[in-house]
Amino acid sequence: QALPSQAIKRELEKARRELLLASEGCNADKLFLAREERNRAAQALPSQAVQVVSRTWARDSHDLFDFEAHQLHTKTFTVQKSMVCVRRDTNVETLSERSSLPLGSDPLLRLEQKDGTFWVDKANSPQSSSKKLWLVVRDMPHGGHRLSENDMIKLGRFKFRVRQLVASANGGAQPELRLVDSGSVCRPDSSQGDLRSAMCRICLLEGPGEDDPLIAPCACKGSIQYVHLGCLRHWIRGRLNLSDASAGSYFYRALPCELCKAIYPTYVALGGERTPLIEVPQTQPPFIVLENMVRDSRQHASRGLHVVSLADMVLKLGRGHESHVRIADVSISRCHAMIRFHRGQFILEDNNSKFGTLVAMKKPRLLESGSSVSIQMGRTVLSLFAHSDPSAANMQPLLPPAGSTVQDERALQHSLLNCGSSRMEPDDAAGEAVPSEEPGHEAAA
């Protein structure tokens, strides 16, 4: 039974020290025992290989991959040491970590071997950096991904960020509605008595009301500078359709003044306390807050927060009218993805969409033996399956020939140390992948 990797590393280091001490004293018995210990520890070190299946869509359109396409360029190979996967046109190949990128090729990802296991990370090189790595939700275990705050979700070419997740009503948490560029505070004029002749631009009544001060929420001046706080809140509720909210679900966005185009503040200071300018309904937990991630300034008007309660429904995201979060984009399917609350967790599921549901990979990912993962980079999807490397188990221990001299023993010592180091640290010099002989995985013509 294999020892844990850390214990094996300690055994290897111990054997290395004993081997050096034995060689310095030229004690043949100690050298033989140290060599045997080194061989035993090296053979116990677990090793993996990764089977890689690459699928590349012929079209290069907005970094999309068509999961319904039949004409895909497919290739299968096996990786046994640290490698970098690159794509040239539609052909995916592997290079050693120190190799320079061929002209016209794009780096995809890096498979790094550490202590007999493999990690997946971005393939950054001096020439160029790889695209963001996206986990394919439909290929995950049980067909779903457990969401956490600050996760980046990609549906087609549209992106969301998970701003907030609240699973229970404990603590009385409510949605945090402040956007990055709308955290200002409006402070009513301290001398409300001087505004008795000022007119509200909405109701056209003069002076502040009882518990309803006149405020100047934007850059307008003159006779349209002031507005009653209650009148502005009523107008905003109508613009955001908050009155039709079910279980406290709604879409919040920062609204601009229709005249001067300045963004209304997020908060208003009343009696020394800061309260939200917009009175939103109480949202029933469990709920999720998703932020639209706009791609350019032309889509700035669509930026906002989707506050959705999952107390009595499964959240549907898509282009169709039955979707709770509707996305008017050609890359979005009618019912693209779903988010359900199950056993205290928010689970994201793909609904067999054409361009897939993806989650951004935040940090290097360990490939556990016997498990698989699919990662998308632009128009290429790599399916990675980690398994035990049978070639490592068949490695024979190095033994000295009969009648060897002290010089032979020292030469053997160096070869043993180099052998152990190559098992613990991947060799960067050689890096050819072993192609698979399975039929049906040839590159498409």
Side-chain angles (χ1 to χ4, degrees):
Q1 188 174 10
L3 296 173
S5 297
Q6 294 299 326
I8 294 172
K9 290 177 66 178
R10 289 194 295 269
E11 291 289 332
L12 285 170
E13 183 62 23
K14 178 182 176 182
R16 188 182 71 86
R17 290 197 300 267
E18 292 179 354
L19 190 58
L20 289 173
L21 291 175
S23 62
E24 290 175 359
C26 296
N27 189 320
D29 293 335
K30 287 185 178 181
L31 184 60
F32 179 79
L33 293 176
R35 182 174 58 247
E36 290 296 318
E37 183 68 17
R38 179 73 176 180
N39 278 327
R40 186 191 69 81
Q43 285 190 327
L45 185 67
S47 182
Q48 280 186 343
V50 179
Q51 184 181 20
V52 183
V53 178
S54 69
R55 293 173 292 164
T56 301
W57 191 30
R59 293 184 58 186
D60 191 358
S61 175
H62 302 282
D63 287 338
L64 295 174
F65 178 85
D66 188 356
F67 287 88
E68 296 180 352
H70 298 288
Q71 299 297 327
L72 296 175
H73 296 263
T74 306
K75 187 175 182 180
T76 303
F77 48 90
T78 301
V79 174
Q80 295 177 326
K81 57 184 67 177
S82 296
M83 306 285 274
V84 175
C85 295
V86 300
R87 181 187 64 222
R88 183 160 44 179
D89 194 15
T90 58
N91 181 50
V92 176
E93 55 189 17
T94 58
L95 301 173
S96 63
E97 288 189 302
R98 296 182 179 179
S99 299
S100 58
L101 289 178
L103 186 64
S105 62
D106 299 319
L108 298 179
L109 56 77
R110 177 166 59 99
L111 288 169
E112 183 178 4
Q113 191 180 39
K114 296 180 181 179
D115 300 333
T117 58
F118 277 90
W119 293 75
V120 184
D121 198 2
K122 295 180 65 175
N124 294 325
S125 65
Q127 295 93 332
S128 62
S129 60
S130 66
K131 297 179 182 293
K132 185 185 291 289
L133 304 184
W134 297 90
L135 300 173
V136 180
V137 172
R138 69 171 66 196
D139 293 340
M140 289 183 175
H142 310 294
H145 171 75
R146 185 175 62 186
L147 290 173
S148 59
E149 291 185 352
N150 293 318
D151 272 352
M152 189 75 72
I153 304 172
K154 185 178 179 183
L155 311 180
R157 58 183 183 180
F158 204 87
K159 298 175 185 176
F160 292 99
R161 184 166 70 94
V162 180
R163 281 281 299 268
Q164 190 179 4
L165 295 172
V166 175
S168 65
N170 296 335
Q174 284 297 301
E176 300 174 0
L177 299 179
R178 188 172 72 173
L179 295 171
V180 175
D181 57 348
S182 60
S184 58
V185 179
C186 176
R187 302 184 183 277
D189 196 327
S190 58
S191 58
Q192 288 285 309
D194 299 338
L195 299 178
R196 286 176 295 181
S197 61
M199 184 175 60
C200 171
R201 71 185 187 202
I202 294 180
C203 68
L204 303 182
L205 296 179
E206 294 182 349
E210 185 178 354
D211 297 330
D212 191 12
L214 284 172
I215 61 174
C218 59
C220 290
K221 301 298 181 182
S223 61
I224 59 174
Q225 180 177 357
Y226 295 102
V227 62
H228 285 125
L229 176 60
C231 294
L232 181 59
R233 283 176 168 173
H234 181 76
W235 177 80
I236 291 177
R237 286 180 63 88
R239 287 289 306 273
L240 296 180
N241 295 322
L242 297 179
S243 58
D244 299 333
S246 173
S249 300
Y250 53 89
F251 176 68
Y252 169 82
R253 68 182 186 276
L255 290 176
C257 172
E258 293 182 327
L259 300 176
C260 68
K261 306 305 179 184
I263 300 295
Y264 285 127
T266 307
Y267 299 99
V268 60
L270 295 177
E273 295 183 359
R274 191 183 69 167
T275 60
L277 173 64
I278 304 175
E279 293 180 323
V280 296
Q282 291 288 313
T283 305
Q284 181 180 353
F287 65 82
I288 182 173
V289 180
L290 298 174
E291 179 184 1
N292 286 352
M293 304 302 293
V294 297
R295 296 190 299 272
D296 51 46
S297 58
R298 291 176 298 178
Q299 294 180 318
H300 187 79
S302 66
R303 187 182 182 194
L305 303 175
H306 297 273
V307 180
V308 184
S309 171
L310 303 182
D312 53 1
M313 70 174 187
V314 175
L315 171 59
K316 296 181 180 178
L317 303 98
R319 185 167 44 89
H321 293 280
E322 70 280 0
S323 299
H324 303 103
V325 176
R326 291 187 60 191
I327 310 166
D329 192 275
V330 68
S331 65
I332 305 298
S333 301
R334 293 185 180 275
C335 183
H336 196 106
M338 296 178 291
I339 299 177
R340 66 177 72 247
F341 185 75
H342 180 67
R343 295 182 179 179
Q345 303 291 338
F346 294 84
I347 308 300
L348 172 66
E349 301 173 350
D350 182 68
N351 193 39
N352 294 324
S353 59
K354 181 177 179 66
F355 292 111
T357 302
L358 313 173
V359 177
M361 203 172 82
K362 301 178 184 178
K363 57 184 179 180
R365 184 183 179 94
L366 172 65
L367 296 179
E368 298 180 356
S369 183
S371 63
S372 61
V373 63
S374 294
I375 301 177
Q376 179 176 334
M377 301 123 300
R379 57 193 178 113
T380 296
V381 172
L382 296 182
S383 298
L384 311 174
F385 176 73
H387 57 86
S388 299
D389 184 4
S391 62
N394 297 329
M395 188 182 69
Q396 298 296 325
L398 298 177
L399 299 176
S404 59
T405 64
V406 174
Q407 288 77 10
D408 295 331
E409 291 289 329
R410 289 183 176 175
L412 176 60
Q413 165 214 344
H414 290 295
S415 66
L416 283 170
L417 294 177
N418 293 334
C419 175
S421 299
S422 65
R423 294 294 309 280
M424 295 180 65
E425 299 178 4
D427 182 11
D428 294 326
E432 291 189 1
V434 179
S436 172
E437 297 183 357
E438 296 182 7
H441 291 289
E442 300 291 333

